[in-house]
Amino acid sequence: VSKQMLEQVLSELQPLCTAEQQFIEKFFQLSQDPANLQVLEVSVRTTWPQGQCPSPFHYLLFVLFLRLEEPTTQLLSEIFSCLEPELRGFLDVCSKVHPFGCLQVLVTLNDSVFEMWGSSSALPSSFLNAVLGNMLLLAKSSFNKYIGTLCKEIEEAKMPSKMKGRILASVSRFEEFVDFSEEVFRTARRRGDLDKAHLQLADSVFSSVNSLSSANLKVNTDMVMMENFHHIHCFLCQKKIHCLEDKKKEAKQRYSEHMEKYVIKYLGQPLEKLNHFFEGVKARVAQGVKEEEVSFQLAYSKQELRKVIEKYPGKEVKRALETLYRKIHKYLSPEENLLPVVWRAMEQEFIRQYQEFEDLIQRCYAGSGIAMDFTMEDLLSYFNSITLSH
């Protein structure tokens, strides 16, 4: 409603000012030579650097500067002395009607100035151009202040002490702004201000998610960060905003990184003692102990390896994986639907670890006849059975 009212006010101003100007020029014989006005317009357009288009506001300032002492403009300024203060008050009301009202004001003013610039009757009304130029500057300033405040709110948002894999309020706030602004700017002639704002807000929301790494959460931090970056990535894929392409790629990279950390951290639990044992084996080899001599180390003897392997019969491994699946299912947010992706990543990491253990046994305990209680085929059947049963 405020958009329609603002458009109506602006559309009615131009014929009013033009009619008043025509009367003044005719009555006081102040009419300008059209040839001079054409020369002025050409000079404005041709003095800009080649390949660059002057913004409406810069163009208006240039025209006003060249014609500042024009008698017609002086008279109109006195006749319509209350116009600018009234417009300021009206724009302020329009901006407060909606939380994102300043966006609508900026777009409407921008479009109005462009339309006036392109119309044949706009150029002589340097007074109205100057007034709208001031309003446009005011709208840009209000918009920039709002974006600065919103960025600060997103960055300084307090993290809840209890989180259960949900999307941060700062991420939802960012999406709400992008949804509304893209709709408002859908038919806008310029979107440079919006692109700049999108980048600023994207930086702030990334900073907000990154701050989770130092937050005292009662759930896995990597899991929450993974879900939030995944949510941002999916949202940006849906929106297809050109200026945020790099942010979309960054979100995907960050979500993948935290999923890897989450998977590795949780995968250490089903085979914790085996992991610890073989980490020690790798450390000895790295220190210079020959592979065939590792088994002569007291803590890594064949007897010690058998003791550790005995703790992980196939049935126990399957039971541990089932417990792990239930735990992940409990904490992952169902809205993000990341359970199948995370579980698949866990399966691949588990297979990688199993192959690494087998390789170390063959290299460091060759001919010992030692083997884990479950085979690769068993492992794959465990994962498949758990996936199908849920």
Side-chain angles (χ1 to χ4, degrees):
V1 176
S2 61
K3 175 181 181 293
Q4 294 172 348
M5 290 178 64
L6 180 55
E7 287 176 343
Q8 183 178 351
V9 168
L10 294 175
S11 66
E12 292 181 2
L13 273 178
Q14 183 176 341
L16 178 65
C17 290
T18 300
E20 189 67 27
Q21 176 173 321
Q22 288 172 347
F23 170 77
I24 290 173
E25 288 176 346
K26 183 177 180 180
F27 187 83
F28 293 104
Q29 297 182 351
L30 298 173
S31 180
Q32 294 287 340
D33 185 351
N36 292 338
L37 296 178
Q38 186 177 5
V39 170
L40 173 64
E41 182 178 9
V42 170
S43 69
V44 171
R45 296 180 185 275
T46 57
T47 51
W48 242 265
Q50 189 174 4
Q52 296 184 21
C53 179
S55 69
F57 183 66
H58 287 148
Y59 172 72
L60 294 177
L61 286 181
F62 195 21
V63 172
L64 181 61
F65 173 75
L66 292 176
R67 305 176 66 197
L68 195 59
E69 299 303 320
E70 186 181 317
T72 306
T73 301
Q74 292 178 341
L75 285 172
L76 286 170
S77 298
E78 293 178 16
I79 294 170
F80 295 107
S81 59
C82 65
L83 179 59
E84 187 164 329
E86 291 291 340
L87 268 179
R88 285 176 180 269
F90 181 62
L91 293 181
D92 186 52
V93 171
C94 290
S95 296
K96 292 177 180 178
V97 169
H98 188 276
F100 300 140
C102 58
L103 277 77
Q104 192 68 74
V105 169
L106 179 60
V107 171
T108 306
L109 273 172
N110 241 329
D111 287 350
S112 178
V113 169
F114 259 109
E115 288 171 10
M116 287 185 62
W117 184 21
S119 69
S120 58
S121 60
L123 188 60
S125 185
S126 57
F127 162 73
L128 183 58
N129 284 345
V131 171
L132 292 184
N134 288 337
M135 294 304 100
L136 186 56
L137 181 61
L138 180 66
K140 284 176 178 285
S141 177
S142 298
F143 177 75
N144 291 335
K145 285 180 182 177
Y146 176 79
I147 296 301
T149 301
L150 186 56
C151 285
K152 190 174 181 181
E153 288 176 1
I154 288 174
E155 291 173 13
E156 296 180 355
K158 291 184 178 180
M159 302 300 168
S161 57
K162 295 181 180 180
M163 291 191 67
K164 189 180 178 181
R166 63 171 179 264
I167 302 306
L168 297 177
S170 57
V171 174
S172 301
R173 184 80 166 137
F174 168 73
E175 292 179 351
E176 182 186 4
F177 175 87
V178 171
D179 279 333
F180 182 83
S181 62
E182 283 298 312
E183 179 61 28
V184 171
F185 276 77
R186 183 169 49 87
T187 58
R189 305 193 184 192
R190 290 172 59 87
R191 55 173 293 140
D193 294 304
L194 180 63
D195 287 344
K196 182 181 176 183
H198 278 343
L199 289 170
Q200 287 177 287
L201 288 167
D203 285 338
S204 293
V205 81
F206 273 60
S207 175
S208 175
V209 178
N210 287 331
S211 68
L212 281 173
S213 59
S214 58
N216 186 24
L217 301 181
K218 294 184 179 180
V219 294
N220 185 276
T221 303
D222 285 311
M223 176 190 71
V224 181
M225 295 177 76
M226 169 189 70
E227 289 193 319
N228 278 274
F229 279 121
H230 176 263
H231 192 83
I232 293 170
H233 175 256
C234 291
F235 176 75
L236 293 180
C237 284
Q238 176 192 356
K239 288 298 170 185
K240 299 178 181 178
I241 301 172
H242 180 69
C243 71
L244 293 178
E245 276 298 308
D246 288 341
K247 285 297 179 183
K248 182 180 74 175
K249 294 175 184 176
E250 184 182 347
K252 183 178 182 180
Q253 180 184 349
R254 297 304 308 280
Y255 128 69
S256 299
E257 287 173 0
H258 287 290
M259 182 170 68
E260 184 179 350
K261 291 179 182 178
Y262 178 59
V263 165
I264 290 174
K265 181 174 181 179
Y266 271 70
L267 265 182
Q269 295 175 0
L271 304 176
E272 186 174 0
K273 289 183 173 62
L274 267 175
N275 270 286
H276 182 71
F277 183 88
F278 284 112
E279 284 297 324
V281 171
K282 288 190 291 183
R284 291 295 184 275
V285 173
Q287 292 168 3
V289 177
K290 293 181 180 179
E291 292 180 350
E292 60 271 19
E293 296 178 359
V294 170
S295 62
F296 296 105
Q297 301 274 320
L298 185 61
Y300 302 100
S301 65
K302 297 173 185 177
Q303 184 179 358
E304 290 299 317
L305 175 58
R306 287 192 180 95
K307 286 181 181 179
V308 177
I309 286 178
E310 286 173 1
K311 296 179 184 294
Y312 296 99
K315 291 182 180 179
E316 289 299 321
V317 171
K318 183 181 180 182
R319 187 177 294 113
L321 288 174
E322 287 173 339
T323 302
L324 179 62
Y325 184 92
R326 286 194 295 270
K327 189 173 183 180
I328 297 169
H329 182 270
K330 178 181 178 181
Y331 286 109
L332 279 179
S333 172
E335 292 80 10
E336 292 307 299
N337 195 31
L338 277 174
L339 180 60
V341 181
V342 172
W343 188 242
R344 175 62 178 165
M346 287 199 162
E347 179 181 1
Q348 292 173 344
E349 178 62 19
F350 207 104
I351 290 170
R352 186 199 65 78
Q353 286 189 12
Y354 178 87
Q355 291 173 332
E356 183 182 40
F357 297 163
E358 286 279 283
D359 181 59
L360 286 169
I361 290 173
Q362 291 176 12
R363 284 160 45 199
C364 301
Y365 302 88
S368 64
I370 299 174
M372 285 183 278
D373 186 64
F374 54 94
T375 64
M376 176 69 76
E377 288 72 21
D378 293 332
L379 188 57
L380 292 172
S381 71
Y382 299 160
F383 275 97
N384 187 50
S385 173
I386 293 169
T387 302
L388 293 175
S389 63
H390 293 82

